[in-house]
Amino acid sequence: PSRSAVNPAAVAALGTAFILLGQWRRLGPLADAVEGGPFQGARLEFPAGWVLTAPFSALADLLTFSAAGQAGAWFFWLAGSYWLWRALRPWRGPARAFLGWGLWLAAALAFLVWALLAPRPLADIAFDDPDLAAIDFHSHSSCSHDGRPSFTPAANADWHSRAGFRAGFLTDHNTEACARPASAAGGFASLTGTELSLHGAHIVVLGQRAPIAQGRYDRGQAGLEAFLSASGPAHGAVPILSLPEYWRHHRADLDHLAGVMARPAGIEVSNGSPKALQVQDAARPTVLEMLRRRALFPACATDNHGWGQAPVCWNVMRLPGHRRQEPEALQASVLARLDGGPDAVRVAERRRVATAPGAKVMLDPLLGLWVLVRTLPPIGAGATLAWLWVLCAVWRAAPEERRHRG
């Protein structure tokens, strides 16, 4: 054919209508993971770099918040969009078709690398109340066996600072080599912690006074219960049951484990890893009911190992004078505040689509795009519209034969 089957102006017009409709039904980008509804008392601030690249940064954030099953659905839609594009604008000959698929795949991989690994601009949490602070209870560094080699404790601190965290516990797997002592990096305080693996459970431990002899508790269910009941008195530490392991391996005895935990203690209701995002929506109603009944505090975890960028959640705590405190004093304040039970922590969570069961998960990327346009800040929506129409103009200005070759 002499002209392309794709009308760029029509595509841009449809995209504009979609974005404007989303802005008309706009949602705040932060939700309260415990109480439900919008999160009160905090806001997301979007740096200039994020706004200028709004359509790409927002999509990168959306992919970061995707559960394991949703990631598979994204791959399906990505492949399907390529074949639809080629059906509308066919290559001339198999060699060009093969080249086109290779270029499409290379572009998709390059975007994923940028989205998940590059130090791209991040939205950060901010508060009007100076006594509020964002704390991360669970993250990793290169000291963990599955940590990104370049994600050193210093890189971990830099990432947390860019995301708006005041402090975070460095909780590498079964080691405390990188987590002691508490230290400061700019405005961010790195605090002492670890993540222990016991009988199929992962227990995040905050603020232990000395390295924990894990072998003492490596005795199956009895050892797990012994550690949970002794962690406070024996180690001066605060335990948190981590997603998704407690739900996958201890769902039947979860209430019993919650009952034997030394207080203060918590359970994760939000976790940013893809495997945790896969199950946390199903687990949350049970866990929230149990938190109130057992007087435990809710916890969220970025669980960042250096393989992602945007955080899915922040623990928000009231810590008067935290800006003036040195790391060790701040750690003591956090641990003391956790003794307040269910009201000690509020969990601010980025809005995302809950993982649908079975084959329905294939619709999650489409629903995710709808949530994306509804949570774009107005200035980000404007930047996205600008990108849409600039790309339309560039496409229309290209020579006809080049547009047909694609």
Side-chain angles (χ1 to χ4, degrees), residues 23 28 59 88 118 140 173 177 180 229 241 258 313 343 349 366 400:
Q23 289 292 290
L59 181 58
L88 294 173
H140 298 266
H173 290 287
R180 303 188 65 87
S229 63
L241 289 176
C313 62
D343 298 322
E349 189 175 51
L366 303 181
E400 176 64 26

Side-chain angles (χ1 to χ4, degrees), residues 140-329:
H140 298 266
S141 74
S142 54
C143 288
S144 286
H145 66 87
D146 52 356
R148 184 181 174 189
S150 61
F151 200 57
T152 63
N156 175 292
D158 177 71
W159 176 81
H160 277 94
S161 182
R162 292 192 297 118
F165 287 96
R166 172 64 178 93
F169 290 85
L170 187 55
T171 55
D172 284 310
H173 290 287
N174 303 306
T175 180
E176 301 169 26
C178 289
R180 303 188 65 87
S183 60
F188 174 79
S190 183
L191 309 181
T192 302
T194 190
E195 182 179 10
L196 300 180
S197 302
L198 291 173
H199 192 53
H202 285 194
I203 305 100
V204 172
V205 183
L206 310 181
Q208 62 272 26
R209 290 189 296 256
I212 296 171
Q214 185 174 349
R216 293 174 52 193
Y217 303 102
D218 196 10
R219 296 181 280 110
Q221 181 77 11
L224 171 61
E225 293 184 19
F227 177 78
L228 292 176
S229 63
S231 56
H235 306 290
V238 175
I240 299 174
L241 289 176
S242 179
L243 273 168
E245 287 79 16
Y246 73 67
W247 192 249
R248 288 181 170 175
H249 302 297
H250 293 278
R251 191 180 315 180
D253 62 335
L254 182 58
D255 189 65
H256 172 70
L257 293 180
V260 303
M261 293 174 79
R263 303 300 192 268
I267 301 183
E268 288 180 359
V269 299
S270 184
N271 182 301
S273 70
K275 62 182 181 179
L277 291 169
Q278 185 72 21
V279 301
Q280 73 178 33
D281 298 306
R284 186 170 292 174
T286 298
V287 174
L288 291 180
E289 185 277 330
M290 187 172 61
L291 287 172
R292 289 289 177 185
R293 182 163 42 83
R294 293 290 190 180
L296 305 175
F297 63 83
C300 88
T302 66
D303 203 5
N304 193 355
H305 290 64
W307 304 109
Q309 290 296 306
V312 73
C313 62
W314 295 259
N315 296 291
V316 179
M317 303 182 68
R318 180 168 295 280
L319 301 166
H322 68 85
R323 299 176 188 272
R324 301 185 300 275
Q325 290 181 315
E326 295 298 320
E328 288 190 3

Side-chain angles (χ1 to χ4, degrees), residues 8-24 370 373 376 381-392:
V11 172
L14 285 174
T16 298
F18 183 60
I19 293 168
L20 293 179
L21 180 61
Q23 289 292 290
W24 178 55
W370 176 234
V373 298
L376 275 175
T384 302
L385 290 174
W387 271 98
L388 193 62
W389 285 101
V390 166
L391 290 175
C392 170

Side-chain angles (χ1 to χ4, degrees), residues 51-213:
V51 172
L52 291 174
T53 59
F56 311 104
S57 293
L59 181 58
D61 288 356
L62 176 59
L63 292 175
T64 303
F65 307 148
S66 294
Q70 292 171 331
W74 272 109
F75 179 81
F76 171 84
W77 283 103
L78 180 65
S81 65
Y82 170 78
W83 291 115
L84 176 62
W85 180 257
R86 294 318 326 156
L88 294 173
R89 307 182 64 259
W91 288 96
R92 294 173 178 173
R96 287 182 178 271
F98 182 79
L99 176 63
W101 174 247
L103 292 174
W104 183 270
L105 183 61
L109 289 176
F111 178 79
L112 286 176
V113 169
W114 175 80
L116 301 178
L117 300 181
R120 59 185 180 84
L122 297 179
D124 64 300
I125 197 167
F127 310 99
D128 293 327
D129 186 342
D131 288 341
L132 295 180
I135 312 294
D136 191 6
F137 294 149
H138 178 180
S139 72
H140 298 266
S141 74
S142 54
C143 288
S144 286
H145 66 87
D146 52 356
R148 184 181 174 189
S150 61
F151 200 57
T152 63
N156 175 292
D158 177 71
W159 176 81
H160 277 94
S161 182
R162 292 192 297 118
F165 287 96
R166 172 64 178 93
F169 290 85
L170 187 55
T171 55
D172 284 310
H173 290 287
N174 303 306
T175 180
E176 301 169 26
C178 289
R180 303 188 65 87
S183 60
F188 174 79
S190 183
L191 309 181
T192 302
T194 190
E195 182 179 10
L196 300 180
S197 302
L198 291 173
H199 192 53
H202 285 194
I203 305 100
V204 172
V205 183
L206 310 181
Q208 62 272 26
R209 290 189 296 256
I212 296 171

